[in-house]
């Protein structure tokens, strides 16, 4: 069972959260930020490996990741799985089901994770009075579409080494936005999960990591990665990794 945490007036809320610059609309004023406190009234803690929601579940909320990380994946009728994304603190999961009555993917914790719950009915109520909420929902929907398009491009156009270089750079940039080092980080996902996401076999991912290390582009020890040559990785990726 997930642990649900009801928020009290003394709890850290949207108006006082260190991540609010990432998951709230850019330029929103303090009064409107305070209205988000009415939307997020609880958090959920998900143990590593457990699902926040499953594909086909009724869509009742969107979830802002407060700590930890989540992977999203699709599963077909015969159990074939396609990883569609890896989400970090400050990012939102469940937006693909926002305009539907059901969730379109599975969302699984890559580590012990805590999310803020924004119920759709509460979002609709606040959005009627705070235009910035409507703008934010459009922005999040646009980012979801962009992620899907980037995955299609990676799977259909890029060579295997381009896919991995672009993946590492994208992760670096997103971690930098959180205030973490863009050059040294821990991969919360397995190499098999990276391969599934990038349309590569486990053997190909392992071979490419070894090649990048031999060429002094990265240093890697188990899941600890250090990016040694960002310019060459950018050149190798050949794409916009933002």
């Amino acid at each position: 069972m997930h642990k649900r945490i009801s928020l009290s007036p003394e709890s850290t809320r949207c108006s006082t959260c260190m991540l609010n610059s990432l998951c709230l609309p850019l330029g929103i004023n303090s009064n409107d930020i305070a209205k988000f406190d009415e939307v997020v009234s609880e958090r959920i803690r998900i143990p590593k490996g457990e699902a926040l929601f499953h594909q086909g579940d009724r869509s009742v909320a969107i979830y802002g990741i407060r700590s930890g990380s989540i992977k999203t994946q699709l599963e077909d009728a015969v159990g074939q799985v396609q990883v569609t994304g890896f989400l970090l603190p400050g990012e939102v999961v469940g937006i693909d089901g926002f305009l539907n009555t059901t969730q379109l993917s599975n969302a699984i914790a890559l580590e012990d994770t805590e999310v803020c719950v924004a119920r759709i009915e509460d979002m609709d109520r606040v959005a009627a009075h705070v235009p910035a909420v409507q703008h934010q929902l459009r922005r999040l929907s646009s980012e979801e579409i962009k992620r899907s398009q980037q995955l299609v491009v990676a799977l259909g156009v890029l060579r295997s080494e381009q896919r991995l270089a672009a993946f590492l750079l994208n992760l670096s940039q997103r971690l930098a936005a959180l205030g973490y080092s863009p050059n040294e980080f821990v991969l919360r996902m397995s190499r098999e999960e990276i391969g599934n996401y990038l349309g590569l076999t486990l053997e190909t991912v392992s071979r490419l990591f070894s090649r990048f290390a031999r060429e002094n582009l990265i240093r890697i020890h188990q899941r600890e990665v250090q990016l040694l040559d960002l310019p060459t990785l950018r050149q190798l990726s050949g794409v916009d990794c933002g």
Side-chain angles (χ1 to χ4, degrees), residues 141-155:
S141 298
S142 175
E143 289 180 351
E144 187 71 24
I145 293 170
K146 182 180 178 181
R147 268 198 295 269
S148 298
Q149 292 174 334
Q150 287 174 331
L151 180 58
V152 169
V153 170
L155 295 180

Side-chain angles (χ1 to χ4, degrees), residues 166-218:
F167 172 78
L168 292 173
L169 289 170
N170 177 269
L171 197 57
S172 166
Q173 292 168 358
R174 290 158 64 200
L175 288 168
L178 291 169
Y180 297 119
S181 169
N183 299 316
E184 297 184 50
F185 48 85
V186 176
L187 297 171
R188 300 301 179 182
M189 65 294 293
S190 68
R191 294 188 183 188
E192 185 174 13
E193 289 168 327
I194 294 172
N196 183 290
Y197 176 66
L198 297 176
L200 304 172
T201 65
L202 172 61
E203 292 74 17
T204 298
V205 172
S206 296
R207 176 174 53 80
L208 287 171
F209 271 124
S210 298
R211 172 187 153 187
F212 286 3
R214 286 196 309 273
E215 295 176 354
N216 291 319
L217 301 179
I218 66 171

Side-chain angles (χ1 to χ4, degrees), residues 48-108:
K48 178 181 178 180
E50 291 197 9
L52 171 60
F53 54 77
H54 291 95
Q55 186 175 328
D57 285 352
R58 189 167 69 92
S59 180
V60 296
I62 59 176
Y63 308 88
I65 302 176
R66 178 171 167 79
S67 63
S69 54
I70 284 177
K71 69 173 177 177
T72 54
Q73 62 184 37
L74 302 175
E75 185 172 352
D76 65 17
V78 296
Q80 293 282 350
V81 169
Q82 172 64 56
V83 176
T84 57
F86 302 106
L87 299 168
L88 305 176
E91 297 178 341
V92 175
V93 63
I95 196 69
D96 55 350
F98 179 72
L99 299 177
N100 298 275
T101 57
T102 59
Q103 296 290 357
L104 302 183
S105 60
N106 301 306
I108 301 170

Side-chain angles (χ1 to χ4, degrees), residues 4-174:
R4 292 183 175 270
I5 306 166
S6 296
L7 302 185
S8 67
E10 292 75 29
S11 301
T12 299
R13 310 299 289 271
C14 294
S15 55
T16 55
C17 179
M18 294 178 63
L19 295 175
N20 67 22
S21 62
L22 297 174
C23 50
L24 293 183
L26 184 66
I28 186 172
N29 63 53
S30 57
N31 289 333
D32 287 347
I33 289 178
K35 289 186 172 64
F36 272 87
D37 294 347
E38 303 173 20
V39 174
V40 180
S41 59
E42 70 170 348
R43 300 193 187 107
I44 296 177
R45 289 179 181 166
I46 313 106
K48 178 181 178 180
E50 291 197 9
L52 171 60
F53 54 77
H54 291 95
Q55 186 175 328
D57 285 352
R58 189 167 69 92
S59 180
V60 296
I62 59 176
Y63 308 88
I65 302 176
R66 178 171 167 79
S67 63
S69 54
I70 284 177
K71 69 173 177 177
T72 54
Q73 62 184 37
L74 302 175
E75 185 172 352
D76 65 17
V78 296
Q80 293 282 350
V81 169
Q82 172 64 56
V83 176
T84 57
F86 302 106
L87 299 168
L88 305 176
E91 297 178 341
V92 175
V93 63
I95 196 69
D96 55 350
F98 179 72
L99 299 177
N100 298 275
T101 57
T102 59
Q103 296 290 357
L104 302 183
S105 60
N106 301 306
I108 301 170
L110 290 168
E111 56 191 309
D112 290 346
T113 297
E114 184 172 292
V115 299
C116 300
V117 181
R119 296 195 173 276
I120 293 173
E121 58 185 20
D122 293 331
M123 293 285 284
D124 288 341
R125 175 175 49 80
V126 172
H129 306 286
V130 185
V133 175
Q134 300 175 23
H135 297 321
Q136 178 71 344
L137 292 173
R138 286 196 291 269
R139 183 182 72 83
L140 292 172
S141 298
S142 175
E143 289 180 351
E144 187 71 24
I145 293 170
K146 182 180 178 181
R147 268 198 295 269
S148 298
Q149 292 174 334
Q150 287 174 331
L151 180 58
V152 169
V153 170
L155 295 180
V157 177
L158 303 183
R159 301 189 308 274
S160 57
E161 63 270 23
Q162 287 181 293
R163 298 181 199 181
L164 185 59
F167 172 78
L168 292 173
L169 289 170
N170 177 269
L171 197 57
S172 166
Q173 292 168 358
R174 290 158 64 200

